Amino acid sequence: MKQDQRSPFAAALQQVREAAYPPGEYVGQESFMRAGEIRQLAGRAGIGAGTSVLDLCCGVGGPGRLITAESGCRYLGVDCSASALDIARGLARDVPCSFAQAHLPPLPDARFDVVLLLETVLAFPDKGVLLGEIARVLEPGGRFAFTLEEGRPLTPTEQAGTPDADTVWLITLAEVTALLHEVGLTVTWQEECSASHRRTAAALLGALLAGSAEIERQIGTPALTDLIIAHRLWTDWLTSGRVRKFALVAEKR
């Protein structure tokens, strides 16, 4: 979604997202992660009361609100979209989250106990630069908690059939592990989540198709078409193993 007008999309897709997740698992996330998976990753990263957390590409801040409300951490969410951050601030209400607009990298010039990057590693073509910046802002012993879209780069044919293909830069797990090591980060935990994310992608696709008429009215035919194509692709990729999904935590040595 390249446009920086998030409100129409947020309104149009609210019911789709609520319908696609099991009860209690939708907390405002714009991803395939369930609330339980967000909690698990936060726990594995050691997020608790007073932990300083930097959430990169936070969007409208659903996971950040959940983590902050339940852990009492000190949370800063960063995103390039001004409209997404406007929504995030409005939804945070009494949850003590802070938000800032920035194009990444570079990262904010501060130190953090934990850096989060959920469902967005694939959007960065130069992952070495990104990971170097993450290592720079982490305290010694700090943790980088993230999800990874794992696989070989898209072929030219796949790129031609993928909406916003210039934001889909896949990488293998071995390559990411090596890059993390180069910048002083060591993987301490990982878990594959391909199956649950495939179910979520398929459920979102079904809800999009079921509500297509009203969604089209709110966001237009081209945007709806791209959303349907993208969710079909992700469902197919995760079903076939073309792409796998992992949750990981890496610690700064």
Side-chain angles (χ1 to χ4, degrees):
M1 188 188 309
K2 288 182 176 180
Q3 56 269 57
D4 191 29
Q5 294 300 322
R6 225 36 107 75
S7 293
F9 283 84
L13 299 180
Q14 180 71 20
Q15 288 187 331
V16 166
R17 290 167 175 154
E18 290 175 350
Y21 289 88
E25 293 294 333
Y26 176 66
V27 290
Q29 65 269 42
E30 302 170 284
S31 69
F32 299 150
M33 294 187 81
R34 297 181 180 187
E37 293 172 323
I38 296 168
R39 290 187 178 99
Q40 181 187 39
L41 185 59
R44 292 286 182 174
I47 296 176
T51 304
S52 56
V53 177
L54 174 64
D55 186 7
L56 305 178
C57 305
C58 67
V60 301
R65 294 192 300 276
L66 174 70
I67 292 168
T68 304
E70 293 187 350
S71 74
C73 68
R74 294 183 288 117
Y75 173 91
L76 173 62
V78 177
D79 200 274
C80 66
S81 169
S83 63
L85 294 175
D86 284 343
I87 295 171
R89 292 185 183 100
L91 292 172
R93 292 190 284 273
D94 296 331
V95 181
C97 298
S98 298
F99 298 97
Q101 184 181 11
H103 290 270
L104 308 174
L107 272 57
D109 192 16
R111 289 296 187 100
F112 300 88
D113 299 315
V114 175
V115 173
L116 292 176
L117 182 56
L118 306 181
E119 307 284 75
T120 325
V121 168
L122 82 170
F124 293 87
D126 193 334
K127 293 172 180 40
V129 170
L130 172 68
L131 295 177
E133 278 289 286
I134 289 168
R136 178 182 65 82
V137 303
L138 278 173
E139 296 280 9
R143 286 82 61 198
F144 173 39
F146 65 107
T147 56
L148 175 69
E149 301 83 5
E150 196 268 353
R152 302 177 313 281
L154 296 181
T155 66
T157 299
E158 289 173 326
Q159 287 179 329
T162 302
D164 293 338
D166 59 342
T167 65
V168 181
W169 304 97
L170 299 172
I171 190 171
T172 67
L173 184 59
E175 289 171 320
V176 164
T177 302
L179 288 172
L180 288 167
H181 183 77
E182 287 178 12
V183 300
L185 299 173
T186 301
V187 174
T188 57
W189 175 80
Q190 70 179 48
E191 183 169 285
E192 185 168 359
C193 45
S194 301
S196 67
H197 288 209
R198 174 189 56 78
R199 290 191 293 269
T200 301
L204 285 165
L205 173 60
L208 279 169
L209 293 171
S212 60
E214 177 59 20
I215 297 168
E216 183 177 23
R217 185 187 68 79
Q218 295 182 68
I219 65 174
T221 301
L224 173 62
T225 300
D226 280 354
L227 282 171
I228 290 172
I229 291 171
H231 283 80
R232 279 189 174 134
L233 282 171
W234 279 106
T235 301
D236 291 345
W237 287 344
L238 291 166
T239 299
S240 67
R242 171 63 180 88
V243 178
R244 297 188 298 164
K245 295 293 290 295
F246 288 88
L248 303 97
V249 176
E251 185 172 324
K252 183 173 179 177
R253 297 191 294 274

